[in-house]
Amino acid sequence: MIACVAVVGQQNNPLFIESFTEGEDELKFHYIVHCSLDVIQEKVSNPKKTGSAMNETFLGLLYPTEDYKVYGYLTNTRVKFLLVTTDQDVRDIDVRNFFRRFHAAYVDAVSNPFHVPGKRIISKAFTERVGAIVKSFGAPTT
Amino acid sequence: MADAPKKGTLRAAYRRAADIKPRDARTWQVSLNAFAFLFSEMVQYNQTRVDNIAELEHRLEHAGYGVGLRMLELLCHREKKRSKASWNSLICPQHPMEIALWKDSLEKGTENEDEYMISEKELLVNRFISVPKDMGAFNCGAYVAGIVKGVLDGSGFPARVTAHFVPVEGQPRPRTTILIKFSEEVLQREARLS
């Protein structure tokens, strides 16, 4: 079950945070996403220590808390995508697919000429697409 | 949209343009005529709202800037791997955008350290445009210069980009050169890293 997805911009400013569980405190997700930014920064500046390849956009599991796991994805334009999930067994390929589709939806949202780069993403179509991607996350594929 | 857009506004032009479907949906090619029409409308729209040539060029460049930013995102999405080199160093030929659009034609200017040039026989946007004599050295390639500026700015290389006509002997129409002048901080960063 995906708890939250977030898009963070180049200056670490939040562009989009959406939570998908009812009754949860949204501020908690803001904190989690904010903490993950530090982990991303560490991974980017020390690639050899943390083991991730220099050329990889998908950063993998950033850090597990007691309830959640956080996955990260970094684009060439330094925009970060974060995925907070409550699942205990999540396949790597599922997360990669999720981020691939999420990246496509993000590019489409940014291509909107009425979107101001650096400001929050307020497109309803983007929100719906993200909702659809989240719903189909983890669905068994044949 | 809550109210119908007024005729002649840019939003109206954009909505009309949205009806221009790609000829072949699989390859997403758009006809040159459609693009030329849209571009001419854009130039005319700006022409009625400015007082002088410099401002017109500035507006076209501003329009191209937004396109450049978005193109960068799109190109980064299509390129599978993340190349770190393009973030830190000035190795422009490795820059994804330059590779995608101008494979080999990025040259270094001779006068200054911080100037690079892209030279094209004829810019696509200028193909159906002839500039009246009283507009002097105005070049609609300012739009393309804006695109390049947007791409460079988006990837962390702030620069001043301009388009110039360069007359060449033996050819009726002059070549177009896009001049890229990087800002101070880029040069300092480059000096620090190399």
Side-chain angles (χ1 to χ4, degrees):
Chain A
M1 253 286 291
I2 293 191
C4 164
V5 293
V7 178
V8 180
Q10 286 144 358
Q11 275 93 26
N12 287 342
N13 48 330
L15 295 176
F16 180 82
I17 294 188
E18 182 87 16
S19 61
F20 295 97
T21 58
E22 275 92 59
E24 292 282 354
D25 186 15
E26 207 176 301
L27 196 59
K28 188 165 64 166
F29 291 127
H30 278 253
Y31 283 147
I32 294 179
V33 166
H34 199 262
C35 294
S36 340
L37 293 178
D38 285 335
V39 183
I40 291 185
Q41 187 63 33
E42 190 190 310
K43 277 212 171 190
V44 163
S45 41
N46 302 328
K48 292 203 184 65
K49 279 190 195 162
T50 52
S52 65
M54 288 252 302
N55 279 341
E56 196 61 47
T57 48
F58 175 63
L59 300 171
L61 180 67
L62 294 179
Y63 77 110
T65 65
E66 54 188 23
D67 294 325
Y68 306 109
K69 288 188 190 179
V70 183
Y71 289 89
Y73 181 99
L74 181 63
T75 69
N76 262 341
T77 50
R78 299 192 220 213
V79 172
K80 305 145 186 107
F81 302 146
L82 291 147
L83 170 71
V84 182
T85 176
T86 53
D87 279 338
Q88 289 314 315
D89 52 346
V90 176
R91 289 188 303 165
D92 194 49
I93 187 77
D94 280 344
V95 186
R96 281 177 193 263
N97 277 342
F98 174 87
F99 276 128
R100 193 171 42 82
R101 294 162 73 185
F102 194 72
H103 195 168
Y106 168 75
V107 166
D108 284 343
V110 169
S111 304
N112 182 358
F114 301 118
H115 168 260
V116 178
K119 293 278 187 324
R120 300 186 84 105
I121 301 176
I122 49 179
S123 155
K124 266 189 304 200
F126 178 67
T127 317
E128 283 169 13
R129 264 180 89 169
V130 170
I133 299 176
V134 164
K135 274 207 188 65
S136 61
F137 175 74
T141 52
T142 55
Chain B
M1 305 267 176
D3 53 342
K6 302 187 200 51
K7 277 194 182 167
T9 59
L10 200 57
R11 280 201 177 191
Y14 177 68
R15 281 182 81 181
R16 280 199 290 270
D19 294 333
I20 299 174
K21 295 278 186 299
R23 218 173 15 184
D24 182 356
R26 273 172 300 140
T27 58
W28 283 97
Q29 287 174 347
V30 181
S31 73
L32 178 61
N33 303 328
F35 174 73
F37 179 70
L38 181 65
F39 187 68
S40 97
E41 181 69 37
M42 207 162 73
V43 174
Q44 286 175 51
Y45 173 84
N46 284 313
Q47 204 172 3
T48 55
R49 279 163 175 76
V50 299
D51 302 322
N52 51 41
I53 304 297
E55 209 178 315
L56 179 57
E57 274 202 357
H58 183 73
R59 281 202 172 209
L60 281 181
E61 191 184 311
H62 186 71
Y65 184 81
V67 175
L69 285 179
R70 291 164 175 93
M71 276 267 291
L72 177 65
E73 295 274 352
L74 183 64
L75 285 171
C76 289
H77 173 57
R78 287 184 180 162
E79 182 187 322
K80 295 307 171 190
K81 288 202 182 295
R82 174 166 66 103
S83 58
K84 273 210 130 176
S86 66
W87 287 5
N88 296 327
S89 68
L90 195 68
I91 318 293
C92 280
Q94 292 177 15
H95 200 285
M97 165 82 166
E98 318 292 348
I99 291 177
L101 297 191
W102 287 287
K103 289 228 159 48
D104 298 307
S105 46
L106 187 70
E107 303 150 2
K108 200 155 160 31
T110 48
E111 290 91 43
N112 295 329
E113 265 305 307
D114 55 353
E115 283 182 3
Y116 285 76
M117 291 187 299
I118 301 176
S119 177
E120 283 241 5
K121 192 160 157 207
E122 183 164 16
L123 281 183
L124 193 68
V125 301
N126 279 343
R127 201 157 135 188
F128 298 114
I129 291 183
S130 57
V131 182
K133 284 280 185 300
D134 57 351
M135 291 186 103
F138 171 65
N139 189 345
C140 290
Y143 182 69
V144 179
I147 297 182
V148 176
K149 183 166 192 269
V151 169
L152 290 173
D153 261 3
S155 38
F157 298 99
R160 233 171 51 89
V161 187
T162 46
H164 304 277
F165 280 127
V166 174
V168 173
E169 292 158 13
Q171 281 174 14
R173 293 186 70 132
R175 287 178 75 91
T176 309
T177 298
I178 297 177
L179 188 65
I180 304 172
K181 195 174 163 69
F182 287 100
S183 66
E184 267 306 306
E185 57 193 27
V186 176
L187 295 173
Q188 285 166 7
R189 195 172 60 196
E190 181 63 11
R192 258 207 331 261
L193 286 170
S194 60

